[in-house]
Amino acid sequence: MQKYLAEARVLLALAIPVILAQVAQTSMGVVDTIMAGSVSATDMAAVAVGTSIWLPAILFGHGLLLSLTPTIAHLNGAGRRDKIGHQVQQGFWLASGVSVLIIAVLYQCDHLIGLMHNIDPELKEKAVGYLHAIMWGAPGYLYFQVLRDQCEGLSKTKPGMIFGFIGLLVNIPVNYIFIYGKFGAPALGGVGCGVATGTVYWVMFFMMRFYVRRNYTMRDIVAPSRFAKPDWPTLRRLIQLGMPIALALFFEVTLFAIVALLVSPLGIVAVASHQIALNVGSLMFVIPLSLGVAATIRVGSRLGESSVEGAKVAAYTSIMTGILMACCTSLTAIIFREHIASLYNDNVEVVTLASHLLIFAALFQISDAVQVIGSGVLRGYKDTRSIFYITFVAYWVLGLPVGYVLGLTDLLVPQMGPSGFWCGFILGLTFAAVMMTFRMRWLQKQPSFTLLQKAGR
C-alpha cells in the first residue's frame, strides 16, 4: 500500500501544475468570448464560430506532438538524455509541417463557413477575419507545445503552468488594444481577439524558449548540430505514435460540435441547458485530463528505467486517483447542480433542464476519468493505435448513434431530447473506459522484454 501512496503523491505533484495550465488555456477562450461580446453579439458569435473551426485544427497538431512526451520520458528514465535534443529538434520540424497544413486549411475557411446555412454575411466576414488572424499564431502555439512536451517528459510540469498564466494575463491587455483600437491600433472587434491570441502564442513560445535555454537542469540537452535537416525515420516514428492521438482528439472535438448542431432544432432552452452541462463537464474534465498527462510521464519514465512493475504501479495508482477525484467532483455537481446552473442563467426553464442534465454530466465523469487516464497510461506504453480504435468506436459507433436514437427519435423510448445524447455519451465513455482497462491489463501481461522493447523503439 505504501508504494501506491508514494506514487499518488508524485502523480499529484505532476498533475496539479497541468490542471492549472489547462485552466489558464481554457480561460483565454472565455476572455476572448466575453471581451468580443462587449462589442456586439455578432462579434461574440463570430469568435464562437471561428473557435469551433480553430479548435479541431490546432488540437490535431497538439495531439500529433504529444508523441514527444512519452518518448522523452523514456529516454530520461533510461539515462539517455543525450538523445533528447535530437527528438526535440525533430519535434520542431513536425510542428512546422503541421503549422503549414493548418494555415493552408484555415486560409480557405470562407468555404467551410459558407457551408453553414443562412449565415449572416457580417457574421461570416468577422469569423473569417478572426481565423485569418489567429492562424498565424499556429506555429507559435505548436512550438510552445514542443518545449512544453520536453519539460513534461522530464517531469517538469510547472513551466507550462507558469507561462500559461502569463499568457492569460498578457492576452487581456492585448485583446483590449486590438478589439477597441487603442494606442494607434485599428479597432477590429472580434477579429482583434484572433490577432491578440495569435500574438500571445508567440509570446508564450519565446518565454518558454528563454526558460529552457537558461535552465541549468536542461543544459545537457542539446541537439547534435545547431541546424539539422529533417530526420525522416525519427519523424516517421513520432507521426506513427502521435497520429492516433491527433485523430482521437479531432474526432472527440468534432463529436461535441455535431451534437451541439443536432440539439439546436430543439429550441433555445434545450441548447442553453446542454451548453451549461457541457461547460461544467468540461471544467471537471480538466482534473482527469491532467492526471492522464502525469500518468504518461510516470509510465514512460518507469519503463525507461526498465521497471515494468513500477510502470504498473503508476498505471493503477493514476486510475484509482482519478476515480476518487471524479467521485468527489461528481458528488459536488449533483448536490449543487441547481446553484451551478443558476450561475449561468436565471431562466427557470433553463435552470431546471440544466440541473437535470448535470446529473448525467456528473455520472459521465467517472467513465471519462477512467478512459482519459487509461489513454494517458497507454501513451506511456507507446500503444497509441489502440487509443484511436477504442475512442472512434466509443464516440462514433456507439455514443453518437445511440444518443441520436434516444434524443431525437421514438424508436426505443419517447424522444428524450438533450438527455438522450448524454445517455449516449455515458454509454460510449463507459465502453471506452472498459476497453482501455482491458488493453492496459493485456499489455501488462506481456513479457517484460516485449514491453521494454516496445517502449524503447
Side-chain angles (χ1 to χ4, degrees):
M1 191 64 184
Q2 192 64 34
K3 64 183 178 182
Y4 288 100
L5 290 173
E7 183 64 34
R9 283 193 291 270
V10 176
L11 276 166
L12 289 173
L14 290 171
I16 289 171
V18 181
I19 292 171
L20 296 174
Q22 293 293 338
V23 168
Q25 192 168 324
T26 304
S27 299
M28 284 179 67
V30 174
V31 167
D32 283 355
T33 304
I34 292 171
M35 294 186 75
S38 67
V39 178
S40 73
T42 302
D43 284 274
M44 184 171 72
V47 171
V49 170
T51 301
S52 69
I53 296 172
W54 164 255
L55 275 180
I58 200 65
L59 285 178
F60 176 82
H62 179 98
L64 205 58
L65 293 171
L66 282 176
S67 56
L68 281 168
T69 304
T71 301
I72 292 170
H74 184 273
L75 291 171
N76 185 50
R80 294 190 289 162
R81 289 168 65 93
D82 58 306
K83 304 290 185 184
I84 293 174
H86 175 68
Q87 298 292 328
V88 173
Q89 197 171 47
Q90 296 306 310
F92 277 113
W93 277 114
L94 182 57
S96 299
V98 178
S99 296
V100 170
L101 178 63
I102 290 172
I103 290 171
V105 170
L106 294 184
Y107 191 75
Q108 303 295 327
C109 64
D110 55 326
H111 301 300
L112 290 173
I113 296 174
L115 295 175
M116 300 179 183
H117 296 294
N118 301 320
I119 188 168
D120 180 74
E122 185 184 1
L123 173 59
K124 178 183 176 181
E125 181 184 353
K126 288 179 180 290
V128 169
Y130 171 84
L131 287 167
H132 281 176
I134 199 173
M135 70 183 185
W136 300 111
Y141 176 89
L142 295 177
Y143 293 158
F144 171 78
Q145 290 304 322
V146 170
L147 295 178
R148 180 179 170 181
D149 290 342
Q150 175 185 332
C151 291
E152 290 180 352
L154 297 169
S155 300
K156 296 180 183 297
T157 54
K158 288 182 181 178
M161 173 194 73
I162 293 168
F163 295 122
F165 272 101
I166 292 174
L168 173 62
L169 294 175
V170 173
N171 190 48
I172 296 171
V174 179
N175 258 345
Y176 179 75
I177 291 169
F178 287 105
I179 290 174
Y180 302 108
K182 304 297 181 181
F183 304 106
L188 299 173
V191 175
C193 290
V195 176
T197 304
T199 303
V200 168
Y201 288 148
W202 281 104
V203 171
M204 290 168 64
F205 161 62
F206 286 120
M207 288 190 298
M208 180 67 96
R209 185 169 177 265
F210 180 82
Y211 166 81
V212 168
R213 286 196 168 190
R214 297 288 179 174
N215 188 278
Y216 71 94
T217 64
M218 290 188 275
R219 285 183 179 172
D220 60 323
I221 297 173
V222 291
S225 60
R226 188 170 180 83
F227 180 84
K229 295 179 180 179
D231 179 13
W232 298 112
T234 301
L235 286 171
R236 194 180 305 114
R237 284 194 295 271
L238 289 174
I239 292 170
Q240 285 174 347
L241 191 59
M243 185 61 77
I245 306 171
L247 291 174
L249 278 174
F250 180 81
F251 284 132
E252 182 176 355
V253 173
T254 51
L255 169 73
F256 287 106
I258 287 172
V259 169
L261 291 174
L262 291 174
V263 168
S264 59
L266 299 176
I268 296 296
V269 172
V271 172
S273 303
H274 173 72
Q275 283 302 120
I276 290 170
L278 194 59
N279 187 257
V280 174
S282 299
L283 290 173
M284 292 190 287
F285 176 69
V286 166
I287 296 174
L289 178 66
S290 304
L291 283 169
V293 172
T296 301
I297 297 167
R298 289 298 294 163
V299 171
S301 180
R302 299 298 275 167
L303 288 174
E305 296 167 4
S306 299
S307 176
V308 174
E309 182 60 30
K312 185 185 291 188
V313 170
Y316 284 114
T317 303
S318 60
I319 288 177
M320 291 309 299
T321 304
I323 290 172
L324 286 172
M325 296 185 82
C327 288
C328 293
T329 54
S330 297
L331 192 61
T332 302
I334 290 171
I335 293 172
F336 298 104
R337 61 187 185 277
E338 291 184 5
H339 301 284
I340 294 169
S342 62
L343 290 174
Y344 286 84
N345 200 288
D346 56 4
N347 182 292
V348 176
E349 289 182 89
V350 172
V351 170
T352 301
L353 182 54
S355 301
H356 174 68
L357 294 179
L358 281 173
I359 297 174
F360 291 100
L363 297 173
F364 168 99
Q365 291 306 307
I366 297 170
S367 296
D368 209 11
V370 175
Q371 72 89 18
V372 75
I373 296 170
S375 173
V377 169
L378 293 179
R379 287 202 305 271
Y381 281 108
K382 293 191 177 179
D383 183 57
T384 55
R385 287 188 183 179
S386 60
I387 297 172
F388 166 71
Y389 292 126
I390 291 169
T391 52
F392 179 79
V393 172
Y395 295 145
W396 290 88
V397 178
L398 284 177
L400 182 60
V402 170
Y404 181 86
V405 169
L406 294 177
L408 299 179
T409 74
D410 298 322
L411 290 176
L412 298 178
V413 294
Q415 183 175 315
M416 295 175 65
S419 299
F421 285 102
W422 281 91
C423 288
F425 288 158
I426 293 170
L427 174 65
L429 287 170
T430 302
F431 169 82
V434 170
M435 296 308 295
M436 293 281 188
T437 305
F438 280 152
R439 181 64 180 179
M440 184 184 77
R441 287 176 62 83
W442 180 84
L443 279 172
Q444 291 167 346
K445 289 177 181 178
Q446 302 307 301
S448 297
F449 173 77
T450 304
L451 276 179
L452 294 174
Q453 189 181 43
K454 180 182 177 67
R457 68 183 181 195

